[in-house]
mmCIF file of all heavy atoms in Angstrom:
data_model
loop_
_atom_site.group_PDB
_atom_site.id
_atom_site.type_symbol
_atom_site.label_atom_id
_atom_site.label_comp_id
_atom_site.label_asym_id
_atom_site.label_seq_id
_atom_site.Cartn_x
_atom_site.Cartn_y
_atom_site.Cartn_z
ATOM 1 N N THR A 1 50.932 -73.183 -100.128
ATOM 2 C CA THR A 1 49.717 -73.515 -100.867
ATOM 3 C C THR A 1 50.023 -74.488 -102.026
ATOM 4 O O THR A 1 49.110 -75.177 -102.546
ATOM 5 C CB THR A 1 48.990 -72.323 -101.357
ATOM 6 O OG1 THR A 1 49.784 -71.664 -102.257
ATOM 7 C CG2 THR A 1 48.556 -71.439 -100.189
ATOM 8 N N ASN A 2 51.248 -74.385 -102.502
ATOM 9 C CA ASN A 2 51.680 -75.139 -103.687
ATOM 10 C C ASN A 2 51.035 -74.638 -104.980
ATOM 11 O O ASN A 2 50.879 -75.411 -105.949
ATOM 12 C CB ASN A 2 51.441 -76.687 -103.506
ATOM 13 C CG ASN A 2 52.432 -77.290 -102.515
ATOM 14 O OD1 ASN A 2 53.623 -76.860 -102.476
ATOM 15 N ND2 ASN A 2 51.923 -78.191 -101.644
ATOM 16 N N VAL A 3 50.586 -73.455 -104.932
ATOM 17 C CA VAL A 3 50.047 -72.834 -106.179
ATOM 18 C C VAL A 3 51.131 -71.803 -106.648
ATOM 19 O O VAL A 3 51.324 -70.790 -106.036
ATOM 20 C CB VAL A 3 48.693 -72.109 -105.934
ATOM 21 C CG1 VAL A 3 48.294 -71.330 -107.220
ATOM 22 C CG2 VAL A 3 47.651 -72.996 -105.490
ATOM 23 N N LEU A 4 51.821 -72.198 -107.688
ATOM 24 C CA LEU A 4 52.912 -71.366 -108.203
ATOM 25 C C LEU A 4 52.276 -70.220 -109.042
ATOM 26 O O LEU A 4 51.360 -70.470 -109.901
ATOM 27 C CB LEU A 4 53.874 -72.190 -109.105
ATOM 28 C CG LEU A 4 54.503 -73.391 -108.430
ATOM 29 C CD1 LEU A 4 55.570 -73.964 -109.320
ATOM 30 C CD2 LEU A 4 55.052 -73.079 -107.055
ATOM 31 N N SER A 5 52.636 -68.949 -108.681
ATOM 32 C CA SER A 5 51.968 -67.891 -109.376
ATOM 33 C C SER A 5 52.990 -66.756 -109.522
ATOM 34 O O SER A 5 54.020 -66.658 -108.945
ATOM 35 C CB SER A 5 50.757 -67.380 -108.571
ATOM 36 O OG SER A 5 51.196 -66.520 -107.512
ATOM 37 N N LEU A 6 52.565 -65.728 -110.264
ATOM 38 C CA LEU A 6 53.431 -64.540 -110.498
ATOM 39 C C LEU A 6 53.521 -63.628 -109.240
ATOM 40 O O LEU A 6 54.194 -62.581 -109.346
ATOM 41 C CB LEU A 6 53.005 -63.785 -111.739
ATOM 42 C CG LEU A 6 53.230 -64.423 -113.076
ATOM 43 C CD1 LEU A 6 52.957 -63.429 -114.226
ATOM 44 C CD2 LEU A 6 54.612 -64.774 -113.164
ATOM 45 N N ALA A 7 52.778 -63.934 -108.248
ATOM 46 C CA ALA A 7 53.031 -63.262 -106.905
ATOM 47 C C ALA A 7 54.408 -63.398 -106.499
ATOM 48 O O ALA A 7 54.925 -62.469 -105.786
ATOM 49 C CB ALA A 7 52.057 -63.734 -105.872
ATOM 50 N N THR A 8 55.131 -64.403 -106.986
ATOM 51 C CA THR A 8 56.523 -64.629 -106.641
ATOM 52 C C THR A 8 57.492 -63.443 -107.044
ATOM 53 O O THR A 8 58.588 -63.284 -106.559
ATOM 54 C CB THR A 8 57.049 -65.895 -107.225
ATOM 55 O OG1 THR A 8 58.260 -66.272 -106.670
ATOM 56 C CG2 THR A 8 57.200 -65.806 -108.739
ATOM 57 N N VAL A 9 56.944 -62.612 -108.060
ATOM 58 C CA VAL A 9 57.828 -61.625 -108.538
ATOM 59 C C VAL A 9 57.921 -60.354 -107.677
ATOM 60 O O VAL A 9 58.772 -59.448 -107.858
ATOM 61 C CB VAL A 9 57.623 -61.240 -109.989
ATOM 62 C CG1 VAL A 9 57.728 -62.466 -110.926
ATOM 63 C CG2 VAL A 9 56.159 -60.675 -110.157
ATOM 64 N N TYR A 10 56.893 -60.198 -106.846
ATOM 65 C CA TYR A 10 56.822 -58.973 -105.973
ATOM 66 C C TYR A 10 58.035 -58.863 -105.111
ATOM 67 O O TYR A 10 58.541 -57.700 -104.992
ATOM 68 C CB TYR A 10 55.520 -58.997 -105.148
ATOM 69 C CG TYR A 10 54.294 -58.439 -105.912
ATOM 70 C CD1 TYR A 10 53.646 -59.207 -106.842
ATOM 71 C CD2 TYR A 10 53.801 -57.175 -105.595
ATOM 72 C CE1 TYR A 10 52.548 -58.707 -107.540
ATOM 73 C CE2 TYR A 10 52.671 -56.717 -106.186
ATOM 74 C CZ TYR A 10 52.043 -57.501 -107.191
ATOM 75 O OH TYR A 10 50.983 -57.022 -107.810
ATOM 76 N N PRO A 11 58.597 -59.908 -104.427
ATOM 77 C CA PRO A 11 59.707 -59.714 -103.640
ATOM 78 C C PRO A 11 61.040 -59.316 -104.445
ATOM 79 O O PRO A 11 61.830 -58.604 -103.940
ATOM 80 C CB PRO A 11 59.920 -61.151 -102.975
ATOM 81 C CG PRO A 11 58.505 -61.702 -102.934
ATOM 82 C CD PRO A 11 57.871 -61.249 -104.141
ATOM 83 N N LEU A 12 61.025 -59.721 -105.786
ATOM 84 C CA LEU A 12 62.068 -59.256 -106.625
ATOM 85 C C LEU A 12 61.862 -57.688 -106.834
ATOM 86 O O LEU A 12 62.860 -56.927 -106.702
ATOM 87 C CB LEU A 12 62.057 -59.941 -107.902
ATOM 88 C CG LEU A 12 62.893 -61.219 -108.021
ATOM 89 C CD1 LEU A 12 62.356 -62.285 -107.105
ATOM 90 C CD2 LEU A 12 62.876 -61.765 -109.495
ATOM 91 N N TYR A 13 60.722 -57.319 -107.188
ATOM 92 C CA TYR A 13 60.487 -55.905 -107.538
ATOM 93 C C TYR A 13 60.842 -54.963 -106.336
ATOM 94 O O TYR A 13 61.407 -53.920 -106.521
ATOM 95 C CB TYR A 13 59.081 -55.663 -107.998
ATOM 96 C CG TYR A 13 58.698 -54.256 -108.220
ATOM 97 C CD1 TYR A 13 59.223 -53.603 -109.355
ATOM 98 C CD2 TYR A 13 57.886 -53.534 -107.386
ATOM 99 C CE1 TYR A 13 58.975 -52.275 -109.597
ATOM 100 C CE2 TYR A 13 57.592 -52.156 -107.615
ATOM 101 C CZ TYR A 13 58.131 -51.543 -108.743
ATOM 102 O OH TYR A 13 57.848 -50.252 -108.962
ATOM 103 N N PHE A 14 60.509 -55.437 -105.115
ATOM 104 C CA PHE A 14 60.811 -54.608 -103.955
ATOM 105 C C PHE A 14 62.076 -54.900 -103.292
ATOM 106 O O PHE A 14 62.349 -54.378 -102.217
ATOM 107 C CB PHE A 14 59.626 -54.740 -102.962
ATOM 108 C CG PHE A 14 58.349 -54.157 -103.424
ATOM 109 C CD1 PHE A 14 57.225 -54.907 -103.761
ATOM 110 C CD2 PHE A 14 58.218 -52.778 -103.540
ATOM 111 C CE1 PHE A 14 56.075 -54.304 -104.179
ATOM 112 C CE2 PHE A 14 57.071 -52.177 -104.065
ATOM 113 C CZ PHE A 14 55.966 -52.959 -104.372
ATOM 114 N N GLY A 15 62.942 -55.728 -103.857
ATOM 115 C CA GLY A 15 64.289 -55.945 -103.357
ATOM 116 C C GLY A 15 64.375 -56.797 -102.127
ATOM 117 O O GLY A 15 65.313 -56.716 -101.311
ATOM 118 N N LEU A 16 63.474 -57.758 -101.975
ATOM 119 C CA LEU A 16 63.437 -58.571 -100.732
ATOM 120 C C LEU A 16 64.279 -59.886 -100.955
ATOM 121 O O LEU A 16 64.648 -60.571 -100.020
ATOM 122 C CB LEU A 16 62.004 -58.976 -100.378
ATOM 123 C CG LEU A 16 61.148 -57.857 -99.810
ATOM 124 C CD1 LEU A 16 59.751 -58.168 -100.049
ATOM 125 C CD2 LEU A 16 61.412 -57.780 -98.263
ATOM 126 N N ALA A 17 64.622 -60.190 -102.141
ATOM 127 C CA ALA A 17 65.244 -61.477 -102.474
ATOM 128 C C ALA A 17 66.740 -61.273 -102.491
ATOM 129 O O ALA A 17 67.334 -60.261 -102.791
ATOM 130 C CB ALA A 17 64.727 -62.006 -103.832
ATOM 131 N N SER A 18 67.425 -62.424 -102.241
ATOM 132 C CA SER A 18 68.874 -62.465 -102.389
ATOM 133 C C SER A 18 69.164 -62.677 -103.965
ATOM 134 O O SER A 18 68.228 -62.997 -104.703
ATOM 135 C CB SER A 18 69.519 -63.599 -101.649
ATOM 136 O OG SER A 18 68.993 -64.889 -102.142
ATOM 137 N N GLN A 19 70.317 -62.505 -104.386
ATOM 138 C CA GLN A 19 70.644 -62.769 -105.802
ATOM 139 C C GLN A 19 70.410 -64.193 -106.115
ATOM 140 O O GLN A 19 69.870 -64.542 -107.236
ATOM 141 C CB GLN A 19 72.072 -62.374 -106.089
ATOM 142 C CG GLN A 19 72.486 -62.463 -107.601
ATOM 143 C CD GLN A 19 71.661 -61.539 -108.457
ATOM 144 O OE1 GLN A 19 71.545 -60.296 -108.166
ATOM 145 N NE2 GLN A 19 71.017 -62.073 -109.459
ATOM 146 N N GLU A 20 70.804 -65.094 -105.211
ATOM 147 C CA GLU A 20 70.591 -66.519 -105.405
ATOM 148 C C GLU A 20 69.047 -66.842 -105.581
ATOM 149 O O GLU A 20 68.660 -67.613 -106.533
ATOM 150 C CB GLU A 20 71.117 -67.376 -104.299
ATOM 151 C CG GLU A 20 70.992 -68.859 -104.498
ATOM 152 C CD GLU A 20 71.586 -69.657 -103.338
ATOM 153 O OE1 GLU A 20 72.134 -68.999 -102.346
ATOM 154 O OE2 GLU A 20 71.532 -70.848 -103.352
ATOM 155 N N GLN A 21 68.239 -66.271 -104.757
ATOM 156 C CA GLN A 21 66.779 -66.435 -104.844
ATOM 157 C C GLN A 21 66.283 -65.892 -106.208
ATOM 158 O O GLN A 21 65.488 -66.487 -106.929
ATOM 159 C CB GLN A 21 66.031 -65.758 -103.741
ATOM 160 C CG GLN A 21 66.229 -66.486 -102.399
ATOM 161 C CD GLN A 21 65.623 -65.667 -101.255
ATOM 162 O OE1 GLN A 21 65.841 -64.404 -101.115
ATOM 163 N NE2 GLN A 21 64.972 -66.328 -100.345
ATOM 164 N N ALA A 22 66.768 -64.758 -106.579
ATOM 165 C CA ALA A 22 66.334 -64.155 -107.853
ATOM 166 C C ALA A 22 66.768 -64.979 -109.121
ATOM 167 O O ALA A 22 65.930 -65.177 -110.018
ATOM 168 C CB ALA A 22 66.990 -62.690 -108.014
ATOM 169 N N ASP A 23 67.909 -65.594 -109.015
ATOM 170 C CA ASP A 23 68.398 -66.488 -110.048
ATOM 171 C C ASP A 23 67.463 -67.707 -110.182
ATOM 172 O O ASP A 23 67.105 -68.061 -111.335
ATOM 173 C CB ASP A 23 69.851 -66.962 -109.800
ATOM 174 C CG ASP A 23 70.910 -65.893 -109.838
ATOM 175 O OD1 ASP A 23 70.629 -64.807 -110.399
ATOM 176 O OD2 ASP A 23 71.967 -66.158 -109.268
ATOM 177 N N SER A 24 67.053 -68.245 -109.085
ATOM 178 C CA SER A 24 66.139 -69.382 -109.064
ATOM 179 C C SER A 24 64.758 -69.046 -109.668
ATOM 180 O O SER A 24 64.188 -69.802 -110.442
ATOM 181 C CB SER A 24 65.941 -69.977 -107.615
ATOM 182 O OG SER A 24 67.144 -70.426 -107.155
ATOM 183 N N ILE A 25 64.249 -67.893 -109.294
ATOM 184 C CA ILE A 25 62.899 -67.370 -109.730
ATOM 185 C C ILE A 25 63.014 -67.165 -111.235
ATOM 186 O O ILE A 25 62.071 -67.561 -111.946
ATOM 187 C CB ILE A 25 62.472 -66.212 -108.951
ATOM 188 C CG1 ILE A 25 62.178 -66.478 -107.591
ATOM 189 C CG2 ILE A 25 61.315 -65.523 -109.647
ATOM 190 C CD1 ILE A 25 61.895 -65.324 -106.663
ATOM 191 N N ALA A 26 64.043 -66.572 -111.681
ATOM 192 C CA ALA A 26 64.260 -66.423 -113.148
ATOM 193 C C ALA A 26 64.185 -67.705 -113.896
ATOM 194 O O ALA A 26 63.521 -67.805 -114.984
ATOM 195 C CB ALA A 26 65.495 -65.589 -113.400
ATOM 196 N N GLU A 27 64.841 -68.696 -113.405
ATOM 197 C CA GLU A 27 64.853 -69.956 -114.051
ATOM 198 C C GLU A 27 63.447 -70.629 -114.128
ATOM 199 O O GLU A 27 62.947 -71.067 -115.139
ATOM 200 C CB GLU A 27 65.746 -70.926 -113.383
ATOM 201 C CG GLU A 27 67.257 -70.658 -113.450
ATOM 202 C CD GLU A 27 68.081 -71.649 -112.635
ATOM 203 O OE1 GLU A 27 67.559 -72.741 -112.298
ATOM 204 O OE2 GLU A 27 69.281 -71.295 -112.376
ATOM 205 N N ILE A 28 62.738 -70.508 -113.001
ATOM 206 C CA ILE A 28 61.303 -71.025 -112.971
ATOM 207 C C ILE A 28 60.417 -70.261 -113.915
ATOM 208 O O ILE A 28 59.610 -70.872 -114.615
ATOM 209 C CB ILE A 28 60.764 -70.979 -111.533
ATOM 210 C CG1 ILE A 28 61.655 -71.846 -110.629
ATOM 211 C CG2 ILE A 28 59.330 -71.414 -111.505
ATOM 212 C CD1 ILE A 28 61.670 -73.264 -110.853
ATOM 213 N N LEU A 29 60.472 -69.018 -113.946
ATOM 214 C CA LEU A 29 59.704 -68.217 -114.847
ATOM 215 C C LEU A 29 59.953 -68.525 -116.283
ATOM 216 O O LEU A 29 59.058 -68.713 -117.085
ATOM 217 C CB LEU A 29 60.055 -66.628 -114.674
ATOM 218 C CG LEU A 29 59.547 -66.010 -113.338
ATOM 219 C CD1 LEU A 29 60.038 -64.566 -113.352
ATOM 220 C CD2 LEU A 29 58.097 -66.089 -113.165
ATOM 221 N N GLN A 30 61.279 -68.774 -116.662
ATOM 222 C CA GLN A 30 61.594 -69.067 -118.053
ATOM 223 C C GLN A 30 61.132 -70.542 -118.327
ATOM 224 O O GLN A 30 60.587 -70.773 -119.450
ATOM 225 C CB GLN A 30 63.082 -68.973 -118.299
ATOM 226 C CG GLN A 30 63.494 -69.256 -119.729
ATOM 227 C CD GLN A 30 64.710 -68.404 -120.152
ATOM 228 O OE1 GLN A 30 65.405 -67.778 -119.220
ATOM 229 N NE2 GLN A 30 65.013 -68.362 -121.353
ATOM 230 N N GLU A 31 61.301 -71.457 -117.452
ATOM 231 C CA GLU A 31 60.880 -72.855 -117.687
ATOM 232 C C GLU A 31 59.474 -73.123 -117.661
ATOM 233 O O GLU A 31 58.882 -73.874 -118.495
ATOM 234 C CB GLU A 31 61.554 -73.717 -116.631
ATOM 235 C CG GLU A 31 63.083 -73.819 -116.712
ATOM 236 C CD GLU A 31 63.678 -74.622 -115.533
ATOM 237 O OE1 GLU A 31 62.929 -75.152 -114.686
ATOM 238 O OE2 GLU A 31 64.918 -74.600 -115.446
ATOM 239 N N LYS A 32 58.677 -72.377 -116.754
ATOM 240 C CA LYS A 32 57.333 -72.847 -116.545
ATOM 241 C C LYS A 32 56.272 -71.720 -116.892
ATOM 242 O O LYS A 32 55.103 -72.076 -117.327
ATOM 243 C CB LYS A 32 57.090 -73.143 -115.019
ATOM 244 C CG LYS A 32 57.900 -74.381 -114.521
ATOM 245 C CD LYS A 32 57.627 -74.593 -113.120
ATOM 246 C CE LYS A 32 58.390 -75.804 -112.574
ATOM 247 N NZ LYS A 32 58.011 -77.134 -113.230
ATOM 248 N N PHE A 33 56.618 -70.485 -116.843
ATOM 249 C CA PHE A 33 55.673 -69.427 -116.977
ATOM 250 C C PHE A 33 55.693 -68.690 -118.367
ATOM 251 O O PHE A 33 54.729 -68.188 -118.891
ATOM 252 C CB PHE A 33 55.778 -68.359 -115.900
ATOM 253 C CG PHE A 33 55.308 -68.777 -114.517
ATOM 254 C CD1 PHE A 33 56.147 -69.500 -113.618
ATOM 255 C CD2 PHE A 33 54.028 -68.451 -114.092
ATOM 256 C CE1 PHE A 33 55.691 -69.927 -112.421
ATOM 257 C CE2 PHE A 33 53.602 -68.874 -112.876
ATOM 258 C CZ PHE A 33 54.440 -69.579 -112.016
ATOM 259 N N LEU A 34 56.863 -68.707 -118.928
ATOM 260 C CA LEU A 34 57.103 -68.025 -120.173
ATOM 261 C C LEU A 34 56.296 -68.608 -121.324
ATOM 262 O O LEU A 34 56.461 -69.853 -121.635
ATOM 263 C CB LEU A 34 58.581 -67.866 -120.505
ATOM 264 C CG LEU A 34 58.895 -67.001 -121.722
ATOM 265 C CD1 LEU A 34 58.463 -65.556 -121.551
ATOM 266 C CD2 LEU A 34 60.450 -67.061 -122.034
ATOM 267 N N SER A 35 55.563 -67.806 -122.019
ATOM 268 C CA SER A 35 54.715 -68.308 -123.110
ATOM 269 C C SER A 35 54.929 -67.337 -124.331
ATOM 270 O O SER A 35 55.583 -66.355 -124.213
ATOM 271 C CB SER A 35 53.242 -68.283 -122.662
ATOM 272 O OG SER A 35 53.018 -69.120 -121.586
ATOM 273 N N PRO A 36 54.315 -67.692 -125.480
ATOM 274 C CA PRO A 36 54.581 -66.840 -126.673
ATOM 275 C C PRO A 36 54.142 -65.441 -126.557
ATOM 276 O O PRO A 36 54.776 -64.510 -127.172
ATOM 277 C CB PRO A 36 53.666 -67.584 -127.715
ATOM 278 C CG PRO A 36 53.617 -68.985 -127.330
ATOM 279 C CD PRO A 36 53.629 -68.927 -125.827
ATOM 280 N N GLY A 37 53.211 -65.093 -125.621
ATOM 281 C CA GLY A 37 52.788 -63.777 -125.504
ATOM 282 C C GLY A 37 53.178 -63.036 -124.159
ATOM 283 O O GLY A 37 52.723 -61.957 -123.922
ATOM 284 N N GLY A 38 53.987 -63.730 -123.360
ATOM 285 C CA GLY A 38 54.413 -63.134 -122.055
ATOM 286 C C GLY A 38 54.360 -64.271 -121.008
ATOM 287 O O GLY A 38 54.576 -65.407 -121.226
ATOM 288 N N LEU A 39 54.075 -63.839 -119.736
ATOM 289 C CA LEU A 39 53.988 -64.762 -118.674
ATOM 290 C C LEU A 39 52.590 -65.104 -118.255
ATOM 291 O O LEU A 39 51.822 -64.215 -118.130
ATOM 292 C CB LEU A 39 54.657 -64.132 -117.406
ATOM 293 C CG LEU A 39 56.213 -63.793 -117.558
ATOM 294 C CD1 LEU A 39 56.673 -63.004 -116.273
ATOM 295 C CD2 LEU A 39 57.078 -65.045 -117.736
#
């Protein structure tokens, strides 16, 4: 859909991602989603 959203973190929480995938998601969260009050 090309809508980037925090739905992306559910596979991390339930252990569906590889470490490499988790590393990538963490980078995107920090670069694009992280704001002064949270995500």
Side-chain angles (χ1 to χ4, degrees):
T1 62
N2 290 321
V3 176
L4 305 189
S5 79
L6 289 187
T8 192
V9 300
Y10 276 74
L12 268 64
Y13 177 70
F14 289 113
L16 286 155
S18 66
Q19 186 62 51
E20 183 180 0
Q21 288 172 317
D23 293 344
S24 297
I25 291 171
E27 290 179 18
I28 299 298
L29 291 178
Q30 185 147 12
E31 292 172 7
K32 297 181 181 295
F33 288 83
L34 185 61
S35 301
L39 298 174

